[in-house]
Amino acid sequence: MRSLLPSLPPAERRVAQRVIDDPEGVANSTITELAHQCGTSETTVIRFCRAIGFTGYPELRLTLATEAGRAQSATGGRVIGSDISPDDSLEQIVEKVTFADARAVEETAAQLDIKVLEQVVDAVVAASRVDVYGVGASAFVALDFQQKLHRIGRHCSAWSDAHIMLTSAAVLNPGDVAMGISHTGATVETIDALGVAKGRGVRTVAVTNFPKSPIAEVADLVLTTAARETTFRSGATASRLAQLTVIDCIFVGVAQRTYGTTRKALEATFEAVRSRTVRPDRRRR
């Protein structure tokens, strides 16, 4: 629901926001009451339900009630929000941040499209070169993917500079893979680089929180995360963890498909850096 929020019409967006803000209240409301609270019609509520994959309002209410009960059970009956208030203690801040981070990973895994993930793994395994684009916090995720693939002997480059992203995309060839990482799916630099790659016949992949965002229009394959935006943009940390979850799934899928060569590469790279760690006998001195 959060991921579809920006793409919904204004009236349906009000209904979605109401559900996000007070899922238990909506679960206990009739369709007439919800429509009145959102300043819209019952028909709009029904359209909204169908837009997010439900047959109607009764199914939405039942799902919300079930999820509310599950969430309370997981937190021992305590209500833990994501937003940080000025009066929160440091203990409450830790609880809220870790709750948001854990939910981002859990919800990302729950909604990840396995069929699309499999196609992405297939494309990376077959690729002679993988270029990954991301700016801001997403750039660190791109670098993480580059490091992981390099460890198993696969050619991957991560770019965050707008000009280098474009020049990188301009020299890719069919058979290569270009991946764009953007939480909002609206980062111009990443979209443009992915668009150039697509124009060259390259398989393009997007990792984003919003499946109907602009980046999806230039991606052949879209993998979505499920991170919540919170106070102080701490959603940037939750979104990064959600993105890393997707990247880890791709990497492990690739490693599994190339099990023999991956094991050899990991052993070789481990041996290469083993001398760079402090030995136990030196620590005791």
Side-chain angles (χ1 to χ4, degrees):
M1 201 177 300
R2 288 185 180 88
S3 68
L4 292 173
L5 198 60
S7 62
L8 293 173
E12 291 180 35
R13 197 179 307 151
R14 291 198 300 273
V15 177
Q17 194 62 59
R18 178 68 180 176
V19 175
I20 292 169
D21 293 341
D22 187 17
E24 285 190 74
V26 173
N28 293 316
S29 299
T30 65
I31 188 171
T32 303
E33 291 170 338
L34 178 60
H36 178 72
Q37 292 163 2
C38 300
T40 189
S41 66
E42 295 178 15
T43 302
T44 298
V45 174
I46 294 171
R47 276 202 306 268
F48 161 73
C49 293
R50 290 174 179 167
I52 62 171
F54 293 108
T55 56
Y57 186 61
E59 187 181 1
L60 172 64
R61 288 183 67 186
L62 179 61
T63 302
L64 290 173
T66 302
E67 288 300 317
R70 185 178 300 164
Q72 285 200 2
S73 176
T75 59
R78 293 172 297 120
V79 177
I80 301 176
S82 299
D83 289 334
I84 309 297
S85 74
D87 300 323
D88 282 343
S89 66
L90 190 56
E91 181 180 9
Q92 290 173 311
I93 290 171
V94 170
E95 187 176 43
K96 288 182 175 183
V97 169
T98 54
F99 175 78
D101 288 352
R103 291 296 287 170
V105 173
E106 291 169 359
E107 292 174 359
T108 293
Q111 57 80 58
L112 197 59
D113 191 322
I114 302 302
K115 289 184 179 179
V116 175
L117 176 63
E118 187 172 15
Q119 292 179 67
V120 173
V121 170
D122 289 341
V124 173
V125 169
S128 56
R129 170 177 172 177
V130 178
D131 276 24
V132 193
Y133 310 124
V135 299
S138 296
F140 297 107
V141 180
L143 285 169
D144 181 79
F145 194 40
Q146 171 189 278
Q147 188 270 342
K148 282 182 167 67
L149 289 184
H150 272 179
R151 261 323 267 281
I152 62 173
R154 306 196 69 85
H155 183 68
C156 177
S157 299
W159 307 109
S160 59
D161 178 275
H163 286 202
I164 299 178
M165 288 159 67
L166 290 171
T167 54
S168 154
V171 294
L172 292 176
N173 297 301
D176 297 331
V177 169
M179 179 182 294
I181 303 174
S182 171
H183 173 73
T184 62
T187 308
V188 173
E189 294 86 349
T190 307
I191 295 169
D192 287 349
L194 215 59
V196 171
K198 187 178 181 68
R200 290 187 56 81
V202 174
R203 199 74 183 276
T204 53
V205 179
V207 178
T208 180
N209 208 68
F210 302 97
K212 294 187 177 180
S213 57
I215 200 171
E217 297 176 9
V218 293
D220 299 313
L221 301 168
V222 179
L223 290 171
T224 54
T225 56
R228 312 175 185 209
E229 288 290 352
T230 55
T231 314
F232 306 132
R233 296 219 55 220
S234 56
T237 63
S239 67
R240 189 180 70 249
L241 289 173
Q243 290 168 351
L244 286 170
T245 298
V246 174
I247 290 301
D248 283 350
C249 289
I250 298 171
F251 167 72
V252 174
V254 172
Q256 184 195 42
R257 297 281 183 85
T258 56
Y259 193 86
T261 55
T262 291
R263 285 294 299 270
K264 290 179 182 178
L266 288 174
E267 289 168 4
T269 52
F270 173 77
E271 187 64 29
V273 300
R274 188 171 62 169
S275 64
R276 312 310 300 168
T277 57
V278 177
R279 298 190 303 273
D281 58 332
R282 288 184 60 185
R283 288 201 294 266
R284 286 195 293 268
R285 292 176 184 174

